[in-house]
Amino acid sequence: MTEENIKWHDSSITRLDRIQKTGHHSAVIWLTGLSGSGKSTVANAVNVKLFERNVSTYVLDGDNVRHGLCKDLSFSDKDREENIRRIGEVANLFLDAGFVVLTAFVSPFRADRNRVRELVNNPKKDFIEIYCNASLDVCEKRDTKGLYAKAREGLIQDLTGIGSPYEPPENADVVLNTATNSLEMCVSQVLGHLEESNIIPRID
């Protein structure tokens, strides 16, 4: 089937309709950083706080997605690019559905993250890049999944930081010092940014 036979169908309920009903904006919160830098931990902690505020929210986690949607992909540079492309498209659907969607992915390449940013309707407002800044040394000492040890033993190829590069954001919207700051401080920093950006209402 060619593209000319595929037509986009507009939804009977728009993103604006959902925003007006829920009382908050939707956004893609993209957490990036090395394995062990705290992306999933921060994303899920923020998710809880947003849920408590009655914000429609969802977490897309890198490991979880590779159990289903991206289970056919390897960790080669080409497949990493495709992994992020798929997640970007899914996140964009959640954005249109009125959700604050938190994505926790290493997403090591700037070009891939920038492509996701360009997917959304308003890249400056709808896509918030959060850099979980923890050094390779810190992440390797944590080694929460045992991946670094396996990589050092040669059991895992192309692990980001060991056999494959990580390109940190040059102009992240939020930088979390997850090496030294507490989880509570990191969550507060994210929520503060969402309030300042008028994504979610402030609490009086």
Side-chain angles (χ1 to χ4, degrees), residues 16-162:
L16 180 58
D17 292 333
R18 298 177 190 279
I19 289 172
Q20 291 174 338
K21 185 175 182 62
T22 62
H24 65 79
H25 284 269
S26 56
V28 176
I29 315 300
W30 195 277
L31 291 97
T32 178
L34 292 170
S35 177
S37 62
K39 301 178 299 299
S40 295
T41 301
V42 172
N44 280 284
V46 171
N47 191 42
V48 170
K49 293 298 183 181
L50 291 176
F51 184 78
E52 291 173 351
R53 295 195 190 189
N54 296 317
V55 174
S56 300
T57 181
Y58 194 80
V59 174
L60 292 171
D61 181 81
D63 282 0
N64 292 355
V65 167
R66 281 187 176 270
H67 280 283
L69 179 65
C70 298
K71 67 185 300 183
D72 59 316
L73 300 177
S74 71
F75 288 89
S76 67
D77 287 356
K78 181 179 179 181
D79 278 4
R80 287 174 190 265
E81 179 181 340
E82 173 61 14
N83 183 57
I84 297 306
R85 186 195 70 80
R86 293 182 190 180
I87 300 313
E89 293 288 356
V90 172
N92 197 31
L93 292 174
F94 272 97
L95 178 73
D96 186 58
F99 281 72
V100 173
V101 56
L102 300 120
T103 74
F105 294 83
V106 173
S107 46
F109 304 125
R110 294 190 192 101
D112 294 343
R113 300 193 298 267
N114 288 337
R115 272 190 287 270
V116 175
R117 182 187 291 271
E118 293 305 316
L119 274 177
V120 303
N121 182 56
N122 185 344
K124 290 186 177 180
K125 183 176 178 63
D126 294 343
F127 184 94
I128 299 172
E129 185 177 48
I130 297 181
Y131 177 32
C132 292
N133 186 8
S135 68
L136 175 62
D137 183 59
V138 168
C139 293
E140 195 165 357
K141 285 178 180 176
R142 291 174 177 171
D143 206 6
T144 52
K145 302 174 186 175
L147 299 179
Y148 291 106
K150 290 180 180 178
R152 293 298 186 187
E153 294 173 9
L155 301 176
I156 295 179
Q157 304 297 319
D158 300 322
L159 180 68
T160 301
I162 304 294

